[in-house]
Amino acid sequence: MSTSGKEPVAVVGIGQTKHVAARHDVSIAGLVREAAARALADAELTWADIDAVVIGKAPDFFEGVMMPELYLADALGAAGKPMLRVHTAGSVGGSTALVAANLVAGRVHRTVLTLAFEKQSESNAMWGLSLPVPFQQPLLAGAGGFFAPHVRAYMRRTGAPDAVGSLVAYKDRRNALKNPYAHLHEHDITLEKVQASPMLWDPIRYSETCPSSDGACAMILTDRKGAGRSPRPAAWVHGGAMRSEPTLFAGKDFVSPQAGKDCAADVYRQAGITDPRQEIDAVEMYVPFSWYEPMWLENLGFAEEGEGWKLTEAGVTELDGDLPVNPSGGVLSTNPIGASGMIRFAEAALQVRGQAGEHQVPGARRAMGHAYGGGAQFFAMWLVGAEPPAS
Amino acid sequence: MPRTSRHARDVAVVAFAQSDHLRRTDELSEVEMVMPVLHQVLAQTGLKAGEIGFTCSGSSDYLAGRAFSFTMTLDGVGAWPPISESHVEMDGAWALYEAWVKIQTGEADTALVYSYGKSSPGPVRDVLTRQLDPYYLAPLWPDSVALAALQAQALIDAGETDEAALAAIGARSRACAESNPHAQLSGAVPQGDYQVRPLRTGDCPPIGDGAAAVILAAGDTARRLCARPAWITGIDHRIEAHSLGLRDLTDSPSTRLAAERAGVFDAPVDTAELHAPFSSQEVVLRKALGIGAGDVEGQAVAVNPSGGPLAANPIMAAGLIRIGEAAARIHRGQSDRAVAHATSGPCLQQNLVAVLEGDPA
C-alpha cells in the first residue's frame, strides 16, 4: 500500500491501422483488433499480459452501435477483465489515454491496453452530428460551420494574412507523405493547389479541411517494472490533464478558450516545463481545420497572443523547423474522429521513442500530444519524454 | 478508519441525491432533470461546483437522440472557470469508478459524479437492441425483455428458481419501495401478464426517467464533509463475452470475480443493493455474490431495501443509484458493510461491484 506519489507511466506499445476512407475488408471488431494486435506486437506482449482495457470513440451515432464496448469485448480480449468506455466528444482519444494512464498511475492496474477508433464509413459522421433537437444549438451541419466564424475572428483579431491557413495544410499534407499510416497521401500536392481548392465554409477551403477516415489507434501503458521489460524504448508520461468549459456563454473566448490554456498550464506544471517553446521538441496538435495551428500555438503558450501565425509563416512548425507541429500529417491528413486524439498522443510517444520513421524529428526528447472537442470546450493533453520523470 | 481498504487512498461516498423517477418527463430537458440533483448533492457537503477536484458523468447519446448530448448537462454543472472533467458513455457507476481512480492518483481529493437518462422519448426495448453485435444480432431486433426471458427460462430449466419465486422477488422489491419517496412503482403491484414467457410485467423494471449524483472524498476531507462516510474499501468491474451463446446465463462469473477483487467475501455484508432489472437476474446475482435467500453466514442481508431496479430503473443512473443507496444506509447508521452492484449490457454482460463500510461506532 504505497502512498508515495504516483506510479510512473510508460508507453511501451503503439499500433495503428492504415487509415483510409473506407475499410470494407474488416468489421468494426476487425479494425480495432488490428490496431491492438500491432500495439501488443510492438510491446512484445500477449493478450494475457493485459490487466484492463480502456476504449474511446466519438458519438455512438457515427457507426450506429450503442455502447460498442459491449460488442467489442471479445475482439479486444477483454472477457474476464475490466473494460471502460470514455466519451468526451472530439477530445476523446486523448481523454481515453489519460484514463488508462491513471489506472497505472493510481496503481490500480499494472498493464493497460487503451484504444480509440472510428469507422466512419459505417454511417455518416456529418449527419451524426446534425440531429436536430428543438431549442438547442445544433452543430450546424457538421463541424466546419461551427468553427469557421471563430477562425474568422482569429484573423480579424490578429491581422494574420489570408495565406497562413494554406501554409499549414500544405505542410501537413507533405508530412503525411512520410507517414505510412496517414489517410491522405497527396503526392502531387502544391501550395497553389491548396489555395485553388473550393471554399467550403469561408475562410476554410476544401484542402484546409480534415478527411473522414476509418481507423484505430492503440497503446500499451505500463508501470516502471513493465517498462523495464520493454524490448524497445518507452515513452514516459511527464504530465497529463483534462479541462472542460461550457459550450456557450457570454464571455467565452472561442479563439483561445480558457480551458485549453488551463489544461496546458497544468501539464507544464506537472512536467516542470517553464518555456514550452524552448523545452518541447515536437507537438502533435489537434488541427482539423488548418487555421487551428496558429490558434492553438497561442492557446498552448508556444507564442504570444496574436503571434502564432508568425511562427507558421516563418516555417518554425515545418518538420525541419525549430518547433515541428504535426510531423505525422496530423488531423488534416487523417481523421477517424474518435481515434484522432489518441493518434496525437501516440505520435508524440513515437517521437520520443525515436520510432517515428521518416517523419521522425531528430533527437526529440520531449513531445506534446493535444486533443480538443465539442464547441472547443473539452481539452486533453499529455507531455511525454524519453527519460522517466524525476521522482 | 475502514478495516479492509485495498488501495493507497481511502475514498468515501459522502453525499448522494436522486430525482423522483417518473414514467414520463416531457416537460423537462435533461439539464432541467439533472440540475436539482446537482444542487442537492452539493448542498449536502457545502461544496460549490468550482471547489470539486474532478467531475465525471455517465449518460447515453442513444437515449437522448443526439450526438454529444452530455455537453448540455455540462453547461448545467456550471463549468466556469474550467473544470477537470470527463464522461463515460456508460452507467454512472462506471463514472464513479473513473473518479475513484482519479482520486487514487492523488490528483484530486473530491469528485462529483452524476448520471441521468430519459427513456420516455423512445421505445426503450427497441433502442437497447442497438447495443448488440451490429452485423449478426442487432438486425434481428431481439429486445431486452426477450433476452432476459431467455435467461429466466434457463434458470427455471436449471432448477434455480420458478415463476412463483420470481413473483416474490418483484413483490418484495415493491413492498420495500414503499419507504422510498423517489421510487416509480411501490406497494402491491400486480404480477400482470406475460411480457415474454416466463417473465410477467412484475418481473420487469418500470421504464422511466431519472438522475442521480454522488460526491466522493478522500481521507480527512471525507470526515470533514460527512458525519459517517461510506468508505469504498474495494471496487472492481469485469466484462464477459458479448455473445449469449458463449455464456452460462444462469451464472455471473464476472460479478463473482469483481466481488472477489473488491473484497466482498472477506467479511459478511448486511446490505446488498443489486442492479438486477429483472427479477430473474437477482437470482443470478445472489448466487454470484453468495447471498442466500435472506442471509449470508447466518447474518441477515437486506437485499434492495430501496426497492431496487424493479421499483425504479432510470437507465444510465440505476447503477449509480445502487451505490448511492448503499452509501446512504451507511450514512444513516442502518448498515456497517454493504455491497453495491451495477450492470451493463444484455443479460448481465458487464458488472461492477463495490464494498462500502462505515467507521465502527
Side-chain angles (χ1 to χ4, degrees):
Chain A
M1 304 286 161
S2 168
T3 52
S4 57
K6 288 189 285 183
E7 177 70 25
V9 181
V11 184
V12 295
I14 294 172
Q16 291 181 56
T17 57
K18 164 72 177 100
H19 307 286
V20 294
R23 278 293 299 272
H24 292 304
D25 61 319
V26 287
S27 63
I28 301 170
L31 183 77
V32 298
R33 193 170 171 93
E34 196 173 293
R38 284 179 186 159
L40 285 170
D42 184 21
E44 294 186 16
L45 295 174
T46 70
W47 297 101
D49 297 310
I50 300 301
D51 300 322
V53 179
V54 184
I55 187 170
K57 69 174 298 301
D60 293 6
F61 287 113
F62 282 2
E63 288 84 7
V65 186
M66 180 185 185
M67 303 179 185
E69 73 277 5
L70 298 166
Y71 142 69
L72 292 172
D74 306 45
L76 292 173
K81 295 174 185 175
M83 189 169 191
L84 264 174
R85 156 75 192 288
V86 179
H87 179 17
T88 62
S91 68
V92 62
S95 307
T96 304
L98 292 174
V99 172
N102 281 345
L103 283 170
V104 177
R107 297 190 176 89
V108 179
H109 294 295
R110 298 192 51 192
T111 302
V112 178
L113 166 66
T114 187
L115 180 139
F117 77 95
E118 209 71 75
K119 199 165 188 297
Q120 295 193 208
S121 65
E122 298 273 335
S123 181
N124 185 311
M126 187 172 116
W127 295 113
L129 280 178
S130 306
L131 300 167
V133 176
F135 314 119
Q136 292 182 347
Q137 176 81 353
L139 279 171
L140 301 169
F146 185 86
F147 290 115
H150 310 315
V151 170
R152 182 61 75 187
Y154 173 78
M155 295 170 74
R156 200 162 38 230
R157 195 187 286 187
T158 64
D162 289 357
V164 170
S166 43
L167 288 174
V168 175
Y170 178 50
K171 165 185 68 87
D172 284 1
R173 295 279 161 79
R174 276 180 294 132
N175 288 352
L177 293 171
K178 299 176 186 295
N179 175 4
Y181 294 105
H183 175 175
L184 296 183
H185 281 158
E186 297 181 335
H187 292 280
D188 55 352
I189 189 80
T190 64
L191 186 58
E192 291 68 33
K193 280 188 180 172
V194 173
Q195 288 167 339
S197 67
M199 191 64 83
L200 289 188
W201 302 276
D202 195 346
I204 300 172
R205 293 183 180 278
Y206 176 78
S207 290
E208 296 169 5
T209 305
C210 51
S212 283
S213 312
D214 283 2
C217 179
M219 288 191 284
I220 312 290
L221 308 180
T222 190
D223 58 8
R224 196 196 305 263
K225 206 175 269 182
R229 290 193 293 267
S230 172
R232 276 174 272 281
W236 294 90
V237 179
H238 288 237
M242 293 187 246
R243 287 292 184 283
S244 310
E245 68 182 41
T247 324
L248 300 163
F249 66 104
K252 170 151 177 156
D253 186 351
F254 279 100
V255 171
S256 188
Q258 188 63 40
K261 293 183 191 175
D262 291 359
C263 191
D266 191 2
V267 170
Y268 299 152
R269 177 190 58 76
Q270 293 173 38
I273 300 271
T274 53
D275 184 351
R277 171 90 161 81
Q278 296 304 319
E279 297 173 69
I280 293 173
D281 302 317
V283 186
E284 282 283 344
M285 193 185 272
Y286 205 104
V287 178
F289 304 102
S290 62
W291 278 94
Y292 270 90
E293 176 179 298
M295 290 165 74
W296 293 147
L297 281 170
E298 296 171 28
N299 189 246
L300 299 177
F302 292 105
E304 293 296 319
E305 218 162 284
E307 305 284 311
W309 63 270
K310 294 177 184 170
L311 297 191
T312 298
E313 193 179 48
V316 170
T317 59
E318 294 272 350
L319 184 48
D320 59 358
D322 181 29
L323 180 71
V325 174
N326 289 326
S328 68
V331 179
L332 273 179
S333 305
T334 305
N335 191 26
I337 297 177
S340 289
M342 191 172 287
I343 297 171
R344 307 280 71 70
F345 277 42
E347 286 285 348
L350 281 175
Q351 289 291 342
V352 300
R353 296 172 80 200
Q355 303 210 309
E358 270 192 78
H359 64 284
Q360 177 71 45
V361 173
R365 307 295 290 169
R366 275 186 284 204
M368 187 168 187
H370 161 270
Y372 87 106
Q377 64 187 130
F378 301 114
F379 292 85
M381 304 172 200
W382 81 2
L383 195 131
V384 285
E387 303 293 334
S391 51
Chain B
M1 183 64 65
R3 286 154 299 182
T4 56
S5 182
R6 296 177 160 217
H7 293 280
R9 301 193 78 196
D10 294 328
V11 177
V13 176
V14 296
F16 167 56
Q18 62 182 316
S19 64
D20 292 342
H21 308 296
L22 303 168
R23 179 62 188 89
R24 307 201 70 84
T25 53
D26 294 344
E27 74 289 4
L28 291 179
S29 72
E30 288 168 317
V31 181
E32 290 167 321
M33 196 169 70
V34 170
M35 291 268 300
V37 176
L38 293 175
H39 285 300
Q40 285 166 34
V41 80
L42 288 166
Q44 286 178 35
T45 59
L47 292 170
K48 297 182 169 61
E51 296 169 334
I52 296 285
F54 183 65
T55 301
C56 199
S57 62
S59 66
S60 168
D61 281 345
Y62 254 83
L63 292 183
R66 64 156 295 168
F68 297 174
S69 57
F70 53 91
T71 61
M72 298 302 157
T73 41
L74 178 69
D75 287 9
V77 172
W80 187 259
I83 57 173
S84 176
E85 189 262 353
S86 184
H87 170 257
V88 297
E89 191 85 356
M90 306 177 80
D91 185 283
W94 278 266
L96 181 143
Y97 180 82
E98 185 183 326
W100 174 85
V101 170
K102 179 79 173 179
I103 295 176
Q104 288 301 324
T105 68
E107 291 172 6
D109 288 329
T110 54
L112 169 65
V113 180
Y114 65 94
S115 64
Y116 56 91
K118 282 181 65 143
S119 299
S120 60
V124 71
R125 284 169 70 167
D126 290 344
V127 171
L128 289 177
T129 66
R130 302 301 89 191
Q131 61 179 211
L132 302 171
D133 177 323
Y135 304 102
Y136 295 109
L137 200 50
L140 304 173
W141 296 85
D143 71 69
S144 48
V145 180
L147 296 178
L150 280 176
Q151 187 171 31
Q153 189 61 52
L155 283 163
I156 291 171
D157 292 348
E160 306 255 5
T161 192
D162 55 38
E163 290 190 34
L166 295 181
I169 289 170
R172 190 210 73 231
S173 295
R174 281 144 189 163
C176 287
E178 288 192 76
S179 60
N180 178 357
H182 304 289
Q184 188 176 334
L185 291 181
S186 63
V189 177
Q191 188 62 6
D193 298 329
Y194 285 115
Q195 291 284 305
V196 181
R197 266 178 203 275
L199 294 178
R200 295 172 183 268
T201 310
D203 295 306
C204 302
I207 295 170
D209 304 347
V214 157
I215 290 178
L216 298 181
D220 290 340
T221 307
R223 291 186 188 87
R224 182 168 55 78
L225 295 174
C226 182
R228 191 171 194 244
W231 301 102
I232 300 170
T233 57
I235 184 168
D236 194 78
H237 61 99
R238 301 281 152 168
I239 198 166
E240 295 179 37
H242 183 61
S243 169
L244 301 183
L246 292 174
R247 291 193 256 151
D248 175 359
L249 296 181
T250 68
D251 200 4
S252 183
S254 58
T255 299
R256 187 176 292 111
L257 180 56
E260 277 169 20
R261 303 276 305 191
V264 172
F265 307 122
D266 296 353
V269 297
D270 54 40
T271 297
E273 279 285 344
L274 306 181
H275 187 189
F278 297 92
S279 60
S280 42
Q281 293 179 342
E282 185 179 304
V283 176
V284 177
L285 293 171
R286 278 177 178 270
K287 185 164 80 165
L289 293 166
I291 299 169
D295 65 81
V296 63
E297 292 177 16
Q299 192 174 348
V301 181
V303 175
N304 286 342
S306 66
L310 287 168
N313 187 42
I315 294 177
M316 310 314 291
L320 182 64
I321 290 169
R322 303 281 72 75
I323 298 174
E325 289 281 7
R329 277 175 72 82
I330 289 172
H331 296 162
R332 293 192 297 260
Q334 293 169 312
S335 168
D336 294 320
R337 190 168 195 271
V339 58
H341 160 269
T343 196
S344 177
C347 298
L348 304 172
Q349 186 191 348
Q350 187 174 23
N351 296 284
L352 179 146
V353 177
V355 176
L356 301 155
E357 290 186 42
D359 288 322

